[in-house]
Each structure stands twice: as structure tokens, then as C-alpha cells.
């Protein structure tokens, strides 16, 4: 009994240290007073001011465009890579899967500096396109991680039977393989979008002067002095990422339930 209580208390303490700063930030975003130590009443003024700030709105548009484009392109490249890797022999497949996991285990600062040096060496200007290519680069492994398990569990005999019955390879792919791996593709897209939306380090090293995303503009504003609008912006970022993560986890739970149901049947 005491051991169970201590384990729960320890878990609660960890969660408190993790989420207490976020809850304080959310509360401050509704504080009418600019002081962080005094409650001046409930207000939505900072949210209103946030959406009136042209610089922040421009950074928001840049962030969403980069996140959507990088996730979409990474899904296409990652899915094609999964199809190619799945048709390889065991040894090269294992090697390529191991290589694809390196960017996920690598420190963001190492990836960011490496990409920046690559662009400089190629004399490529740091701008919107450099950020987009960088985000595509680190998003592809997450797509492979989401799509590959669905592809390996697929029954290849159905695809081969369709070809034997006269279906073209493209028709069989879109009618048999794609619907089966689509949940993994969707999970990969949501995960890639979330990672791109949340990234700061790689964006900071590969962006050009005068171009900002939400993460970089928050960093710039904090250096000048924290404004209440930053609390509101951080709150909206936290909620949006939380919703995306919930959707990803719910889809994974659904896939696990479907797999368990198929095994029991």
C-alpha cells in the first residue's frame, strides 16, 4: 500500500514539474495585468493584440506553409522510400532502415549546423526554400517510421493476385496497397506536420535575414523582453500541438485495436 502510494506520488511530482510552467503560462495569457506576480483580472486582450500584430501573423503563415508543404512532400518521398526498401533483400533493407533512423537520433543542433554549412558550401541563399528543404529532410525518417510497419504487415499475395488477374501495377497499387497503408501515411503526415510546427533549432540555422517562423519570432521577442502576447502565442502553439499529438495517438491506438481484432479472429 505504501509502495503504491509512493510510486503514484513520485509520478504526480514528475508531472507537476513538467506541466506546472505550461499551466502558469496559460494563466498569464489571460491576466489583464502585465505583471507576472499580480493578477489583474481575466481578459482576452492579449489574444486580440496577437492577431492584430502583422509580424506575428506573417510568421504564423510562414510556419503553416512550411509545415504543410514539408509534411506533404516528406510523405510522398517517405512512402516511395518505404516501397523501395520493402522490396530489397534483408541486408540492404536493414542497413537503409538503420541509416533512416540516424536523423531522428541525431541532435537537432548538429543537423541544423550541418544543413547550414551545406547550403553555404553550395552558395545557396538561406531563405524560405532552405528552411523547407531542411524540414523535408528531417521529416522523411518520421514518415518511414510510420509507413514501414503497415507495409511489412501487408499480404503481398493479394497484390500479386491482382496482377495475375490482369490489373496494371499502378491500378493494383492504388486499389490494394495504398488503402492498406493509408493509416500509416496519415499518421506520418500528422507527425511530420507536428515536428515541423514545433521545430526551432534547425529553422534558426537555415533561415535567412528577415524571414521568421513562430518559433524564431518567439525567441527574438523573448530576448527583447517578454510581452503578454507571447504568452497567448505560446498557449495557442501548445494547444495546437497537443491536439495533433492526441490525434496521432488515437490513430495508433485504433490501428493496434484493429490488429488485435484481426489476430483474435
Amino acid at each position: 500500500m505504501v509502495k503504491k502510494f509512493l510510486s503514484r506520488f513520485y509520478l504526480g511530482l514528475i508531472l507537476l514539474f513538467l506541466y506546472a510552467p505550461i499551466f502558469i503560462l496559460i494563466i498569464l495569457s489571460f491576466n489583464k495585468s502585465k505583471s507576472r506576480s499580480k493578477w489583474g483580472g481575466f481578459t482576452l486582450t492579449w489574444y486580440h493584440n496577437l492577431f492584430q500584430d502583422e509580424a506575428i501573423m506573417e510568421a504564423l503563415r510562414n510556419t503553416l506553409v512550411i509545415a504543410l508543404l514539408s509534411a506533404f512532400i516528406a510523405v510522398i518521398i517517405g512512402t516511395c522510400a518505404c516501397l523501395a526498401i520493402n522490396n530489397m533483400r534483408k541486408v540492404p533493407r536493414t542497413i537503409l532502415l538503420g541509416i533512416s533512423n540516424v536523423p531522428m537520433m541525431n541532435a537537432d543542433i548538429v543537423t541544423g549546423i550541418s544543413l547550414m554549412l551545406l547550403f553555404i558550401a553550395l552558395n545557396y541563399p538561406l531563405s524560405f526554400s532552405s528552411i523547407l528543404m531542411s524540414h523535408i529532410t528531417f521529416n522523411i525518417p518520421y514518415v518511414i517510421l510510420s509507413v514501414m510497419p503497415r507495409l511489412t504487415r501487408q499480404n503481398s499475395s493479394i497484390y500479386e493476385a491482382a496482377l495475375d488477374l490482369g490489373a496494371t501495377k499502378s491500378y493494383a497499387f492504388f486499389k490494394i496497397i495504398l488503402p492498406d497503408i493509408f493509416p500509416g501515411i496519415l499518421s506520418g503526415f500528422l507527425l511530420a506536420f507536428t515536428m515541423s510546427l514545433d521545430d526551432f533549432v534547425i529553422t534558426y540555422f537555415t533561415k535567412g535575414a528577415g524571414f521568421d517562423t513562430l518559433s524564431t519570432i518567439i525567441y527574438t521577442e523573448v530576448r527583447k523582453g517578454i510581452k503578454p502576447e507571447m504568452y497567448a502565442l505560446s498557449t495557442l502553439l501548445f494547444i495546437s500541438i497537443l491536439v495533433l499529438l492526441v490525434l496521432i495517438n488515437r490513430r495508433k491506438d485504433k490501428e493496434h485495436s484493429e490488429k488485435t481484432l484481426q489476430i483474435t479472429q
Side-chain angles (χ1 to χ4, degrees):
M1 184 70 181
V2 176
K3 186 177 180 181
K4 188 176 182 180
F5 170 77
L6 289 175
S7 62
R8 290 183 176 180
F9 177 77
Y10 180 69
L11 178 61
L13 199 62
I14 293 174
L15 293 176
L16 179 64
F17 277 106
L18 285 175
Y19 291 102
I22 298 175
F23 290 139
I24 292 173
L25 183 143
I26 294 173
I27 293 171
L28 289 174
S29 70
F30 297 105
N31 185 11
K32 192 173 183 179
S33 173
K34 290 186 177 181
S35 173
R36 293 191 293 271
S37 58
K38 178 183 177 182
W39 176 256
F42 181 86
T43 183
L44 295 175
T45 303
W46 311 127
Y47 288 90
H48 179 267
N49 293 344
L50 172 67
F51 289 104
Q52 297 298 319
D53 193 317
E54 292 184 4
I56 294 178
M57 288 298 99
E58 180 68 23
L60 175 61
R61 284 191 291 270
N62 293 337
T63 302
L64 291 177
V65 170
I66 289 174
L68 288 170
L69 281 177
S70 63
F72 180 74
I73 297 173
V75 159
I76 295 175
I77 299 175
T79 303
C80 293
C82 287
L83 294 172
I85 293 172
N86 191 53
N87 290 325
M88 292 180 177
R89 294 181 179 179
K90 185 177 180 181
V91 174
R93 181 196 307 168
T94 304
I95 294 174
L96 280 178
L97 287 176
I99 294 173
S100 68
N101 289 331
V102 171
M104 292 187 292
M105 297 183 292
N106 202 15
D108 285 347
I109 191 169
V110 175
T111 304
I113 293 176
S114 301
L115 289 169
M116 179 189 68
L117 293 175
L118 175 64
F119 290 131
I120 293 174
L122 296 175
N123 200 24
Y124 191 88
L126 298 180
S127 58
F128 170 85
S129 58
S130 62
I131 299 176
L132 179 61
M133 287 188 286
S134 301
H135 281 226
I136 293 171
T137 301
F138 75 75
N139 276 336
I140 290 175
Y142 293 99
V143 176
I144 295 176
L145 183 68
S146 300
V147 177
M148 200 65 193
R150 299 285 306 190
L151 198 58
T152 53
R153 291 201 303 264
Q154 189 184 45
N155 188 356
S156 60
S157 60
I158 300 176
Y159 174 76
E160 295 171 357
L163 296 179
D164 292 338
L165 292 173
T168 61
K169 291 184 178 181
S170 59
Y171 184 85
F173 171 77
F174 285 106
K175 292 295 182 179
I176 297 173
I177 297 179
L178 186 60
D180 195 25
I181 65 174
F182 183 75
I185 294 175
L186 184 58
S187 296
F189 176 83
L190 291 174
L191 185 58
F193 179 79
T194 304
M195 297 301 296
S196 180
L197 193 69
D198 192 45
D199 178 72
F200 164 73
V201 177
I202 296 175
T203 304
Y204 180 78
F205 283 104
T206 57
K207 79 179 188 72
F211 188 90
D212 280 306
T213 61
L214 285 179
S215 58
T216 59
I217 201 171
I218 288 175
Y219 175 74
T220 304
E221 291 295 332
V222 168
R223 291 177 64 187
K224 296 177 182 178
I226 301 176
K227 298 191 298 185
E229 288 84 354
M230 292 298 104
Y231 300 142
L233 178 58
S234 300
T235 300
L236 294 177
L237 274 176
F238 169 74
I239 293 174
S240 61
I241 293 173
L242 180 64
V243 170
L244 286 173
L245 289 176
V246 169
L247 291 175
I248 293 171
N249 289 329
R250 286 190 63 183
R251 177 158 292 277
K252 287 183 178 180
D253 290 340
K254 185 178 179 181
E255 291 177 10
H256 180 71
S257 300
E258 290 176 353
K259 181 181 177 181
T260 305
L261 183 62
Q262 290 175 358
I263 293 174
T264 55
Q265 289 178 348

